[in-house]
Coordinates of all heavy atoms in Angstrom, one line a residue:
Chain A
R4 N -54.9 14.1 57.4 CA -55.2 15.5 57.2 C -55.2 15.8 55.7 O -56.2 16.4 55.1 CB -54.2 16.4 57.9 CG -54.5 17.9 57.8 CD -53.5 18.7 58.5 NE -53.9 20.1 58.6 CZ -53.6 21.0 57.7 NH1 -52.9 20.7 56.6 NH2 -54.0 22.3 57.8
D5 N -54.2 15.3 55.0 CA -54.2 15.5 53.5 C -55.3 14.8 52.8 O -55.9 15.3 51.8 CB -52.8 15.1 53.0 CG -51.7 16.1 53.4 OD1 -52.1 17.2 53.8 OD2 -50.6 15.7 53.4
W7 N -58.2 14.2 54.0 CA -59.4 15.0 54.3 C -59.4 16.2 53.3 O -60.4 16.6 52.8 CB -59.4 15.4 55.7 CG -60.4 16.5 56.0 CD1 -60.2 17.8 56.3 CD2 -61.9 16.4 56.0 NE1 -61.3 18.5 56.4 CE2 -62.4 17.7 56.3 CE3 -62.7 15.3 55.7 CZ2 -63.8 17.9 56.3 CZ3 -64.1 15.6 55.8 CH2 -64.6 16.9 56.1
T8 N -58.2 16.9 53.2 CA -58.2 18.0 52.3 C -58.6 17.7 50.9 O -59.4 18.4 50.2 CB -56.7 18.6 52.2 OG1 -56.3 19.0 53.6 CG2 -56.6 19.8 51.3
R11 N -62.4 16.8 50.8 CA -63.2 18.0 50.9 C -63.3 18.7 49.6 O -64.3 19.1 49.1 CB -62.6 18.9 52.0 CG -63.3 20.2 52.2 CD -62.7 21.0 53.4 NE -63.3 22.3 53.5 CZ -62.9 23.4 52.8 NH1 -61.9 23.3 52.0 NH2 -63.5 24.5 52.9
R12 N -62.1 18.9 48.9 CA -62.1 19.5 47.6 C -63.0 18.8 46.6 O -63.8 19.4 45.9 CB -60.6 19.6 47.1 CG -60.5 20.1 45.7 CD -59.1 20.3 45.3 NE -59.0 20.8 43.9 CZ -59.0 20.0 42.8 NH1 -59.2 18.7 43.0 NH2 -58.9 20.5 41.6
I15 N -66.8 19.1 47.6 CA -67.3 20.5 47.3 C -67.5 20.6 45.8 O -68.5 21.1 45.3 CB -66.5 21.6 47.9 CG1 -66.5 21.5 49.4 CG2 -66.9 23.0 47.4 CD1 -65.6 22.5 50.1
L16 N -66.5 20.2 45.0 CA -66.6 20.3 43.6 C -67.9 19.6 43.1 O -68.6 20.0 42.2 CB -65.4 19.7 42.9 CG -64.1 20.6 42.8 CD1 -63.0 19.8 42.3 CD2 -64.4 21.8 42.0
R19 N -71.3 21.1 44.2 CA -71.6 22.4 43.5 C -72.2 22.1 42.1 O -72.6 23.0 41.4 CB -70.3 23.2 43.3 CG -69.8 23.9 44.5 CD -68.5 24.6 44.2 NE -68.6 25.3 43.0 CZ -68.9 26.6 42.9 NH1 -69.2 27.3 44.0 NH2 -68.9 27.2 41.7
E83 N -58.2 16.4 35.3 CA -57.3 17.1 36.3 C -55.9 17.1 35.9 O -55.2 18.1 36.1 CB -57.5 16.4 37.7 CG -58.8 16.6 38.3 CD -58.8 16.3 39.8 OE1 -58.8 15.2 40.2 OE2 -58.8 17.3 40.6
A86 N -55.3 19.7 33.3 CA -55.3 21.0 33.8 C -54.1 21.4 34.7 O -54.0 22.5 35.2 CB -56.6 21.3 34.6
G87 N -53.3 20.4 34.9 CA -52.1 20.6 35.8 C -52.3 20.4 37.3 O -51.4 20.7 38.1
V88 N -53.5 20.0 37.6 CA -53.8 19.8 39.0 C -53.0 18.7 39.7 O -52.5 18.7 40.8 CB -55.3 19.6 39.2 CG1 -55.7 19.2 40.7 CG2 -56.1 20.8 38.8
R91 N -49.5 19.7 40.2 CA -49.5 20.6 41.3 C -49.5 19.9 42.7 O -48.8 20.2 43.6 CB -50.7 21.6 41.2 CG -50.7 22.7 42.2 CD -51.8 22.7 43.1 NE -53.1 22.8 42.4 CZ -54.3 22.7 43.0 NH1 -54.3 22.5 44.3 NH2 -55.4 22.8 42.4
L93 N -48.6 16.7 43.1 CA -47.5 15.9 43.3 C -46.2 16.6 43.7 O -45.4 16.1 44.4 CB -47.2 15.1 41.9 CG -48.1 14.0 41.6 CD1 -47.8 13.5 40.2 CD2 -48.0 12.9 42.6
V94 N -46.1 17.9 43.4 CA -45.0 18.7 44.0 C -45.2 19.1 45.4 O -44.3 19.5 46.1 CB -44.6 20.0 43.2 CG1 -43.5 19.8 42.3 CG2 -45.8 20.6 42.6
S95 N -46.4 19.0 45.9 CA -46.7 19.3 47.3 C -46.2 18.1 48.1 O -46.0 17.0 47.6 CB -48.2 19.5 47.5 OG -48.8 18.3 47.7
P96 N -46.0 18.4 49.4 CA -45.5 17.3 50.3 C -46.5 16.2 50.6 O -46.2 15.3 51.3 CB -45.0 18.0 51.6 CG -45.5 19.4 51.5 CD -46.0 19.7 50.1
R99 N -48.6 10.4 48.6 CA -49.3 10.0 47.4 C -50.5 9.3 47.6 O -51.5 9.4 46.9 CB -48.3 9.2 46.5 CG -47.4 10.0 45.6 CD -46.3 10.8 46.2 NE -46.5 12.1 46.6 CZ -46.0 13.2 46.0 NH1 -45.4 13.2 44.9 NH2 -46.2 14.4 46.6
V251 N -43.9 10.4 39.0 CA -42.6 11.1 39.1 C -41.6 10.1 38.6 O -41.2 9.2 39.3 CB -42.3 11.4 40.6 CG1 -41.0 12.1 40.7 CG2 -43.4 12.4 41.0
K252 N -41.2 10.2 37.3 CA -40.2 9.2 36.8 C -39.3 9.8 35.8 O -39.6 10.9 35.3 CB -40.9 8.0 36.3 CG -41.8 8.3 35.1 CD -42.5 7.0 34.6 CE -43.4 7.4 33.5 NZ -44.6 6.5 33.4
Chain B
K18 N -31.4 14.4 31.6 CA -32.7 13.7 31.4 C -32.8 13.2 30.0 O -32.7 14.0 29.0 CB -33.8 14.7 31.7 CG -35.2 14.0 31.6 CD -35.4 13.0 32.8 CE -36.6 12.1 32.5 NZ -36.8 11.2 33.6
A62 N -37.7 20.3 40.9 CA -38.9 20.4 41.7 C -39.4 19.0 42.1 O -40.5 18.9 42.6 CB -40.0 21.2 41.0
T63 N -38.7 17.9 41.8 CA -39.0 16.5 42.1 C -40.2 16.0 41.3 O -40.7 14.9 41.6 CB -39.5 16.3 43.6 OG1 -40.8 16.8 43.8 CG2 -38.6 17.0 44.6
L65 N -39.8 15.1 38.1 CA -39.2 14.2 37.1 C -37.9 13.6 37.8 O -37.2 14.4 38.4 CB -38.7 14.9 35.8 CG -39.7 15.1 34.7 CD1 -39.0 15.8 33.6 CD2 -40.2 13.8 34.2
K66 N -37.7 12.3 37.6 CA -36.4 11.8 38.1 C -35.3 12.0 37.1 O -35.5 11.6 36.0 CB -36.6 10.2 38.3 CG -37.2 9.9 39.6 CD -36.6 8.6 40.2 CE -37.1 8.4 41.6 NZ -38.5 7.9 41.6
L84 N -39.0 14.6 49.7 CA -40.1 15.2 50.5 C -39.6 16.5 51.2 O -40.3 17.5 51.2 CB -40.5 14.2 51.6 CG -41.6 14.7 52.5 CD1 -42.9 14.9 51.7 CD2 -41.9 13.7 53.6
R87 N -39.8 19.1 48.6 CA -41.2 19.5 48.3 C -41.7 20.5 49.4 O -42.4 21.4 49.1 CB -42.1 18.3 48.3 CG -41.9 17.4 47.0 CD -42.8 16.3 47.0 NE -42.4 15.4 45.8 CZ -42.2 14.1 45.9 NH1 -42.4 13.5 47.0 NH2 -41.9 13.5 44.8
G97 N -50.3 25.4 34.0 CA -51.4 25.7 34.8 C -51.6 24.8 36.0 O -50.8 23.9 36.1
S98 N -52.5 25.1 36.8 CA -52.6 24.4 38.1 C -54.0 24.2 38.7 O -54.2 23.6 39.7 CB -51.7 25.1 39.1 OG -52.2 26.4 39.4
T99 N -55.0 24.8 38.0 CA -56.3 24.7 38.6 C -57.3 24.1 37.6 O -57.2 24.2 36.4 CB -56.8 26.2 39.0 OG1 -56.8 27.0 37.8 CG2 -56.0 26.8 40.0
L100 N -58.3 23.5 38.2 CA -59.4 22.9 37.5 C -60.3 24.0 36.9 O -60.7 24.8 37.7 CB -60.2 21.9 38.4 CG -60.9 20.8 37.7 CD1 -59.9 19.9 37.0 CD2 -61.7 20.0 38.7
P104 N -64.0 26.7 41.9 CA -63.9 28.1 42.3 C -62.5 28.4 42.8 O -61.9 27.6 43.4 CB -64.9 28.2 43.5 CG -65.5 26.9 43.6 CD -64.9 25.9 42.7
E108 N -59.6 26.1 45.3 CA -58.2 25.6 44.9 C -57.2 26.2 45.8 O -56.2 25.5 46.2 CB -58.0 26.0 43.4 CG -58.8 25.3 42.4 CD -58.6 23.9 42.3 OE1 -58.6 23.2 43.3 OE2 -58.4 23.4 41.1
E110 N -57.5 27.3 48.9 CA -57.5 26.6 50.2 C -56.9 25.2 50.2 O -56.1 24.9 51.1 CB -59.0 26.5 50.7 CG -59.7 27.7 51.2 CD -61.2 27.5 51.3 OE1 -61.6 26.4 51.3 OE2 -61.8 28.5 51.5
S111 N -57.3 24.4 49.2 CA -56.8 23.1 49.2 C -55.2 23.1 49.0 O -54.5 22.3 49.7 CB -57.4 22.2 48.2 OG -57.1 22.7 46.9
Q112 N -54.8 24.0 48.2 CA -53.3 24.1 48.0 C -52.6 24.5 49.3 O -51.6 23.8 49.7 CB -53.0 25.1 46.9 CG -51.6 25.5 46.7 CD -50.9 24.5 45.9 OE1 -51.4 23.4 45.6 NE2 -49.7 24.8 45.5
R114 N -53.6 24.1 52.4 CA -53.7 23.0 53.3 C -52.7 21.9 53.1 O -52.2 21.3 54.0 CB -55.2 22.4 53.4 CG -56.2 23.3 54.0 CD -57.5 22.7 54.1 NE -57.5 21.4 54.7 CZ -57.6 21.2 56.0 NH1 -57.9 22.2 56.8 NH2 -57.5 20.0 56.6
Y116 N -49.9 22.3 52.2 CA -48.6 22.7 52.7 C -48.7 23.0 54.2 O -47.9 23.7 54.8 CB -48.1 23.9 51.9 CG -47.6 23.6 50.6 CD1 -48.5 23.6 49.5 CD2 -46.3 23.2 50.4 CE1 -48.0 23.2 48.2 CE2 -45.8 22.9 49.1 CZ -46.7 22.9 48.0 OH -46.2 22.6 46.8
L118 N -51.0 24.7 56.0 CA -51.7 25.8 56.5 C -53.2 25.4 56.9 O -53.7 24.5 56.4 CB -51.9 26.9 55.4 CG -50.6 27.5 54.8 CD1 -50.9 28.6 53.8 CD2 -49.7 28.0 55.8
K143 N -65.0 30.9 39.0 CA -64.4 29.7 38.5 C -63.2 30.1 37.7 O -63.2 31.1 37.0 CB -65.3 28.9 37.7 CG -66.5 28.3 38.5 CD -67.4 27.5 37.5 CE -68.5 26.9 38.3 NZ -69.3 26.1 37.4
M159 N -51.2 30.4 43.7 CA -51.1 29.0 44.2 C -49.7 28.6 44.6 O -49.5 28.0 45.6 CB -51.6 28.0 43.1 CG -53.0 28.3 42.6 SD -54.2 27.6 43.7 CE -54.1 25.9 43.4

Side-chain angles (χ1 to χ4, degrees):
Chain A
R4 185 178 189 272
D5 291 337
W7 167 253
T8 300
R11 177 176 175 272
R12 171 177 180 275
I15 293 178
L16 279 174
R19 283 176 47 94
E83 287 198 287
V88 174
R91 188 240 299 172
L93 286 173
V94 260
S95 85
R99 273 74 271 252
V251 178
K252 65 179 173 212
Chain B
K18 182 72 196 179
T63 75
L65 271 181
K66 275 221 173 69
L84 184 61
R87 289 184 187 128
S98 62
T99 56
L100 204 62
E108 292 293 51
E110 282 170 14
S111 68
Q112 173 79 349
R114 286 183 55 90
Y116 286 90
L118 304 182
K143 292 178 175 184
M159 301 280 286

